[in-house]
Amino acid sequence: MNSNRLVIAIDGPAGAGKSTIAKKIADILDIEYIDTGAMYRAFTLKVLNSNIDINNLDEILKLLDTTTIEFKNRHIYLDGTRVDEEIRNNIISNNVSQIAKIKEVREKMVELQQKLAISNNVIMDGRDIGTVVLPNANYKFFLTASVEERAKRRYKELIQKGISNITYEQILEEIKKRDEIDSNREVSPLRKSQDAYVIDTTNKTIDETVQEIISIIEGR
């Protein structure tokens, strides 16, 4: 990695605040933000829209070969179509871990992610950024929070979007299931890099967490 570039890796489980925090840090430091989770969500959207069973590996891999995912001005495009809103639907949240655990899917996404980081100052968040995608990042952070707090945040987010046919208990169980899949998959499981700073966001605001990370990067 070019030492003149700033490369920041942020990992952690669902609902820990990774994306929101990474976006704010990108704005403060004026660097590119890459939401790797959105890439897996985008492909999951394509699988579901194609009416392919998420257990049908052959059909999923055929679809992968004809898929393009790009970021432009903080928006994500699937095969040329902007899909920022669609990939945040709860049906995507409930299926993305199944798609993301497929070895071939992860290999393609990691390749794309590494290309994005070759020539840019970037902050990238996901499940395996510090361990697999950007092992030589200048700074690595592992964000966590209690499963109850993460479920509360996700529930609040969905309610604010006008989605009312869900319960907190349902979201709690869904996040527990995602944690289990993400942590136990064979390929690039959710792991804390040994050289990562661990930040528990349970009792912190977004801005408090952002400032803590900025202080570490700036050596304060």
Side-chain angles (χ1 to χ4, degrees), residues 100-158:
K101 72 179 184 179
I102 298 171
K103 176 176 179 288
E104 292 85 353
V105 172
R106 297 205 71 81
E107 287 175 346
K108 174 161 184 174
M109 297 302 172
V110 167
E111 180 184 347
L112 292 174
Q113 291 154 15
Q114 289 175 332
K115 284 180 180 178
L116 290 169
I118 285 175
S119 58
N120 296 299
N121 294 316
V122 300
I123 183 167
M124 195 176 291
D125 74 282
R127 301 289 193 280
D128 60 350
I129 309 305
T131 54
V132 176
V133 183
L134 302 175
N136 297 315
N138 303 100
Y139 296 95
K140 301 177 186 179
F141 298 93
F142 190 90
L143 304 187
T144 187
S146 70
V147 67
E148 292 81 9
E149 174 65 20
R150 291 186 283 126
K152 184 172 71 174
R153 292 172 184 172
R154 178 64 177 159
Y155 177 68
K156 181 179 179 182
E157 176 188 347
L158 292 172

Side-chain angles (χ1 to χ4, degrees), residues 45-60:
L45 174 67
K46 185 171 182 176
V47 170
L48 296 179
N49 283 350
S50 301
N51 294 316
I52 293 174
D53 188 305
I54 61 170
N55 296 307
N56 189 330
L57 183 60
D58 289 340
E59 289 300 314
I60 288 172

